[in-house]
Amino acid sequence: MTGTMAALPVSAPLEANPHDALLRRVLETGGRDRDMVLAAVMHDGLALELACEELRGDYFVVLAAVSSNGDALRFAANTLREDCQIVKQAVSLSGAALQYASRTPKADREVVIAAVSQSAAAFDFADDSLRTDRGVIRAALSRRAAVLSDASDELREDRDFLLEALSVNSQSLLYAADSVLRDSVWLRAVLTTLGHNNRHVVEAAITFDDSLFLLADEALKVDRSFFIACLARNGEVLKHAPTTALQQDREVVWTAVKQTGRALRYASEELRADPELAKLAVRGDPMALEWVAGDCRR
């Protein structure tokens, strides 16, 4: 036993827990009694670990196990870890169980879509031939936008696909190619038609063009946490602070200056004279010295 199953209490009476009693009998018979093993895996798929080698290769025993717990696939015989139907059943419950599959199911589009639809972590185990598949990536996006960062450059630059991706996960644009994030005309159209009140779309849009912040919904603009998130991507957004209070806020200014030293010019005079902020700004961009105030210039 590998330690996956919990240890059985040695002194507990068999009647104390019917399943523990069943597992004990499975152990005592060396996992060779088919009916007993079948009953055990139907209650807890991981009990397949206790089955003998022959029963780990029994289609119906393994199917029952993975129907109870997808991760039971790890204990199946190699021949069944190659079976797409067995693997599909397993990943429909635990997408990450795809890691235990053999090569054939990992390259099966239907199996992989089922896996990534359950858990984006499964994307890491898919065959390379499917890691650029639009359908697979679209399914994975429903779980985690970051999978787009592993997609091909062609997809990350495909504006039509990115619009599809946005309809699945509003964070998708954050992982678009730089060439897209530099396309202010296209981003302006996206913001105007469907994203001005979506914080993730705005955050992505301002990456290289701070002026696009002005298209954000008014309620978003005054949201301090959202403003800080935008500054972390483009410190120049500080110039568009909706209130002077934000330009007097040390945490806000620190975030902006950390991203680009030149953002110091938009801070309040008091903060431009802050020694630590001045040092951070100049270290990031020596030109920021021009906007350092007070004794810090010396």
Side-chain angles (χ1 to χ4, degrees):
M1 226 163 92
T2 65
T4 304
M5 297 290 296
L8 297 175
V10 176
S11 60
L14 295 184
E15 296 76 12
N17 184 317
H19 184 57
D20 282 354
L22 176 59
L23 293 180
R24 192 183 299 279
R25 289 197 292 274
V26 169
L27 281 170
E28 289 172 349
T29 60
R32 292 185 293 273
D33 187 307
R34 187 177 187 276
D35 291 339
M36 201 175 291
V37 170
L38 191 57
V41 299
M42 289 176 67
H43 185 276
D44 180 355
L46 295 181
L48 185 63
E49 180 184 12
L50 305 179
C52 66
E53 185 175 349
E54 179 183 355
L55 291 182
R56 291 190 191 197
D58 184 304
Y59 185 92
F60 293 103
V61 169
V62 173
L63 180 61
V66 298
S67 296
S68 172
N69 187 322
D71 288 326
L73 185 64
R74 67 187 296 186
F75 302 120
N78 289 339
T79 54
L80 293 182
R81 285 192 275 138
E82 294 175 355
D83 187 285
C84 288
Q85 291 306 311
I86 289 285
V87 175
K88 184 178 179 182
Q89 180 59 37
V91 300
S92 68
L93 294 182
S94 173
L98 186 64
Q99 65 186 294
Y100 306 122
S102 296
R103 183 173 181 178
T104 299
K106 288 180 178 179
D108 184 287
R109 188 172 188 271
E110 189 176 337
V111 170
V112 173
I113 286 179
V116 299
S117 296
Q118 201 284 325
S119 171
F123 188 75
D124 295 335
F125 306 111
D127 187 82
D128 287 345
S129 64
L130 291 176
R131 289 169 64 85
T132 57
D133 183 284
R134 289 173 178 245
V136 170
I137 294 174
R138 191 182 301 112
L141 283 171
S142 67
R143 291 289 180 176
R144 188 179 70 197
V147 298
L148 191 56
S149 63
D150 294 322
S152 66
D153 290 341
E154 179 183 357
L155 273 185
R156 295 174 60 237
E157 293 175 346
D158 187 321
R159 288 156 178 74
D160 290 335
F161 176 76
L162 288 171
L163 288 176
E164 287 182 46
L166 279 173
S167 69
V168 176
N169 191 319
S170 64
Q171 297 184 48
S172 300
L173 198 56
L174 292 166
Y175 302 96
D178 282 357
S179 60
V180 172
L181 296 179
R182 292 182 185 276
D183 186 345
S184 295
V185 174
W186 184 77
L187 290 171
R188 188 176 296 274
V190 171
L191 286 171
T192 302
T193 57
L194 56 87
H196 74 285
N197 60 352
N198 185 301
R199 65 188 299 134
H200 301 303
V201 174
V202 177
E203 282 178 38
I206 57 85
T207 303
F208 295 108
D209 186 348
D210 57 88
S211 70
L212 293 178
F213 179 80
L214 298 174
L215 297 179
D217 183 81
E218 293 302 320
L220 271 183
K221 288 180 184 177
V222 297
D223 183 319
R224 182 176 180 273
S225 64
F226 167 71
F227 192 63
I228 288 176
C230 287
L231 293 173
R233 292 181 70 86
N234 187 340
E236 292 281 340
V237 170
L238 187 60
K239 75 172 78 166
H240 306 297
T243 66
T244 55
L246 288 171
Q247 293 170 319
Q248 298 167 351
D249 185 316
R250 193 173 190 276
E251 181 185 357
V252 168
V253 174
W254 184 278
T255 303
V257 169
K258 184 177 181 181
Q259 201 283 321
T260 174
R262 297 191 180 199
L264 186 66
R265 77 179 92 174
Y266 308 116
S268 66
E269 184 172 359
E270 179 184 356
L271 289 180
R272 287 192 289 114
D274 182 304
E276 292 182 348
L277 274 171
K279 182 177 180 180
L280 177 66
V282 174
R283 185 168 62 229
D285 184 349
M287 295 296 293
L289 182 62
E290 179 181 349
W291 298 288
V292 173
D295 294 339
C296 293
R297 290 182 62 85
R298 299 172 183 170

